[in-house]
Amino acid sequence: MSKKIQAIRGMNDILPEQSAIWRHLESTVKDIVGRYGYGEIRLPIVEYTDLFKRTIGEVTDIVEKEMYTFSDRNDESLTLRPEGTAGCVRAAEEHGMLYNQIQRLWYTGPMFRYEKPQKGRYRQFHQIGVETFGLQGPDVDVEMILMTAKFWQALGLSDQVTLQINSLGSSEARATYRAELVSYLEARKDQLDEDSQRRLESNPLRVLDSKDTKTQLLLADAPSLMDFLDEDSKAHFEVLTSTLDAAGVAYEINPRLVRGLDYYCKTVFEWVTDALGAQGTVCAGGRYDGLVEQLGGKPTPAVGFAMGIERLVLLLEATGLTGEISSKPDFYVVGSGPETVLFADKVRDQLSHAVVQCHCGGGKFKKQMKKANDSGAEIALILGEDEIANAQVTVKYLREQKDQVVVAQNELGSVFAQFCK
Ligand code: ATP
Ligand code: MG
């Protein structure tokens, strides 16, 4: 027997029971971003490798070791997108959407990173990302944070996540800070974990991101970026925090929250949870005023965030908030022969919002009723020979103590008005 082919490690199938949770999450979020006036942009999954090298940066984990890069038949180097901002900026610039304009955009879809698969960390994962262009903030930074807070509220996750914010300042302020940080860490280099020692050379701000406990202890006394902010960034941050205060959104200032690249500035934020171990960040965002220019466009202020759908689904599952979300049918039609299928379809026409599952394949009545019960349906519609002869249907309530009734087939609509439009 030949060996069965399995899915690639870290790339998951999402089965119907889970996809019901995904749909609930996605439709909740889409509804909210729509209400804030953001438009959807659909982007390719594959881009030229150079796009990611230039946007994400050569000295990041993503570009150094996580990209799925390959040559196509024309020997062009292409990459499966590891994140969405690069493609979004590329597309917006390519279609002339940026110069002297304001754009509010969102996208969703799979992203690919060659990481060590574990709970909440996969090689194909999914993000919903939101970006704005042409707005200096801090008002729009607040808008984005309020929008994310609305997601958690609508999903019932507000108690599970906390907001961390920081300011990265201008690139000049960060350069001064970087020099201070490097001299502090150089003096303690032998106490740093291996990754951080490497980052100290290539991208020292990323050391602040280290998950190593010993390194974290060292960082507790390291100079703080907050003390190096330029006046403009300081004022920006003050408006951000006071507006969040006015909105009643709680936050923690985390001076170690960073992004390693020079085009990031001012606001950074993350929503984190304790419920998912080391994979605790469910949403991460920040301002990247320098990126469009770095890609050859005119200077364009920009801010955005991305959230990991898998982590949010795990969080919904961990908090038991998935009970209500299901793909259970409302009605299960029991009978035999092709009439059953035709009748089920008439029911769908009459009850346009109901989920109607039809028993196919015949079999004994008792077995069919067991299937009806196991399906989770509220009501069984029974179509026996007598019912067919009289153009009626027997309605049996599966979850309520209610007597079964016989109803004319064409009157189902008035009997079950709650399932109609
Ligand atoms: P982490 O520190 O967890 O590796 P990151 O900084 O690499 O995250 P971003 O590039 O900011 O993550 O992506 C935004 C969000 O996408 C993350 O906060 C997370 O929710 C999700 N995400 C990132 N990488 C993965 C992955 N490999 N599997 C599942 N979700 C992911
Ligand atoms: Mg990562």
Side-chain angles (χ1 to χ4, degrees):
M1 218 168 70
S2 61
K3 198 167 168 251
K4 281 189 186 151
I5 297 175
Q6 296 196 316
I8 297 166
R9 207 161 100 83
M11 302 203 179
N12 300 316
D13 303 307
I14 297 148
L15 304 181
E17 206 166 296
Q18 267 218 316
S19 67
I21 305 169
W22 280 61
R23 276 203 308 279
H24 167 70
L25 194 151
E26 286 161 350
S27 68
T28 304
V29 169
K30 283 177 191 176
D31 189 46
I32 294 171
V33 288
R35 287 178 55 214
Y36 278 77
Y38 286 66
E40 183 182 5
I41 182 162
R42 298 197 181 201
L43 301 159
I45 287 170
V46 186
E47 299 269 2
Y48 287 118
T49 304
D50 276 349
L51 175 71
F52 301 115
K53 286 193 175 164
R54 280 172 62 183
T55 50
I56 301 167
E58 303 261 9
V59 290
T60 54
D61 283 353
I62 293 182
V63 173
E64 276 178 353
K65 50 189 191 196
E66 295 176 357
M67 292 206 304
Y68 279 90
T69 296
F70 59 97
S71 294
D72 73 357
R73 287 171 192 274
N74 202 20
D75 267 346
E76 308 253 37
S77 179
L78 306 181
T79 294
L80 300 185
R81 63 180 183 193
E83 53 97 61
T85 305
C88 188
V89 172
R90 196 262 317 132
E93 179 65 18
E94 191 166 327
H95 298 283
M97 296 163 72
L98 295 184
Y99 185 55
N100 260 346
Q101 292 176 59
I102 289 167
Q103 298 292 346
R104 286 180 159 88
L105 304 170
W106 70 274
Y107 52 81
T108 184
M111 308 293 161
F112 301 83
R113 297 184 194 176
Y114 193 82
E115 300 200 68
K116 193 168 156 230
Q118 53 197 291
K119 188 177 168 194
R121 191 175 294 286
Y122 310 102
R123 290 182 174 172
Q124 174 174 333
F125 64 100
H126 298 75
Q127 287 182 337
I128 299 177
V130 179
E131 322 280 353
T132 74
F133 299 99
L135 294 163
Q136 300 269 7
D139 48 1
V140 71
D141 306 9
V142 176
E143 175 177 289
M144 290 213 148
I145 292 174
L146 292 181
M147 179 159 64
T148 50
K150 279 254 189 327
F151 299 155
W152 321 137
Q153 202 182 15
L155 292 166
L157 292 176
S158 299
D159 292 346
Q160 301 298 319
V161 289
T162 51
L163 173 64
Q164 301 197 343
I165 57 172
N166 191 21
S167 175
L168 297 180
S170 64
S171 61
E172 297 77 28
R174 225 159 40 246
T176 319
Y177 170 69
R178 190 183 295 119
E180 288 285 322
L181 181 69
V182 168
S183 76
Y184 175 87
L185 292 175
E186 283 286 358
R188 296 157 182 84
K189 194 170 175 182
D190 50 338
Q191 299 171 57
L192 292 175
D193 63 279
E194 211 175 294
D195 256 355
S196 297
Q197 290 192 5
R198 199 169 45 83
R199 285 174 178 163
L200 187 54
E201 307 292 326
S202 60
N203 197 348
L205 286 187
R206 289 289 316 277
V207 177
L208 297 177
D209 231 5
S210 171
K211 308 251 184 332
D212 183 85
T213 19
K214 250 178 86 189
T215 302
Q216 280 185 352
L217 271 179
L218 269 188
L219 289 169
D221 295 326
S224 169
L225 184 47
M226 275 287 157
D227 298 331
F228 290 78
L229 291 190
D230 49 294
E231 287 310 312
D232 184 30
S233 301
K234 236 189 236 170
H236 191 107
F237 194 64
E238 270 160 24
V239 178
L240 176 77
T241 51
S242 61
T243 320
L244 289 175
D245 289 337
V249 175
Y251 56 85
E252 245 171 66
I253 297 174
N254 176 358
R256 280 190 245 147
L257 199 61
V258 287
R259 298 272 180 277
L261 298 166
D262 268 356
Y263 54 77
Y264 283 108
C265 62
K266 296 177 179 159
T267 310
V268 276
F269 67 95
E270 283 191 3
W271 287 94
V272 295
T273 175
D274 291 334
L276 301 177
Q279 277 60 252
T281 305
V282 293
C283 175
R287 180 160 282 281
Y288 53 96
D289 292 348
L291 178 59
V292 175
E293 192 178 8
Q294 183 169 313
L295 279 178
K298 298 256 175 11
T300 308
V303 56
F305 65 83
M307 38 193 195
I309 299 185
E310 282 82 354
R311 292 186 192 178
L312 288 166
V313 168
L314 283 169
L315 197 52
L316 284 169
E317 286 172 343
T319 43
L321 288 171
T322 55
E324 301 290 293
I325 310 155
S326 79
S327 46
K328 283 182 203 159
D330 301 302
F331 295 91
Y332 192 99
V333 180
V334 160
S336 59
E339 289 93 346
T340 324
V341 183
L342 298 182
F343 170 69
D345 226 37
K346 276 195 204 135
V347 178
R348 289 185 197 101
D349 288 342
Q350 284 186 59
L351 309 173
S352 48
H353 279 192
V355 178
V356 182
Q357 190 168 325
C358 180
H359 183 88
C360 288
K364 292 210 170 80
F365 176 71
K366 217 171 153 191
K367 275 204 169 147
Q368 290 198 32
M369 284 308 293
K370 183 170 182 322
K371 282 255 159 67
N373 211 23
D374 294 348
S375 75
E378 290 295 319
I379 290 163
L381 298 175
I382 303 162
L383 198 69
E385 279 172 19
D386 288 351
E387 285 91 343
I388 292 172
N390 300 318
Q392 291 175 323
V393 59
T394 298
V395 174
K396 187 172 165 57
Y397 295 89
L398 299 172
R399 320 281 151 204
E400 283 174 281
Q401 294 290 355
K402 245 170 148 179
D403 291 339
Q404 66 180 44
V405 287
V406 179
V407 176
Q409 286 182 11
N410 58 10
E411 280 173 11
L412 281 170
S414 50
V415 177
F416 297 109
Q418 77 266 30
F419 292 107
C420 297
K421 263 188 200 146

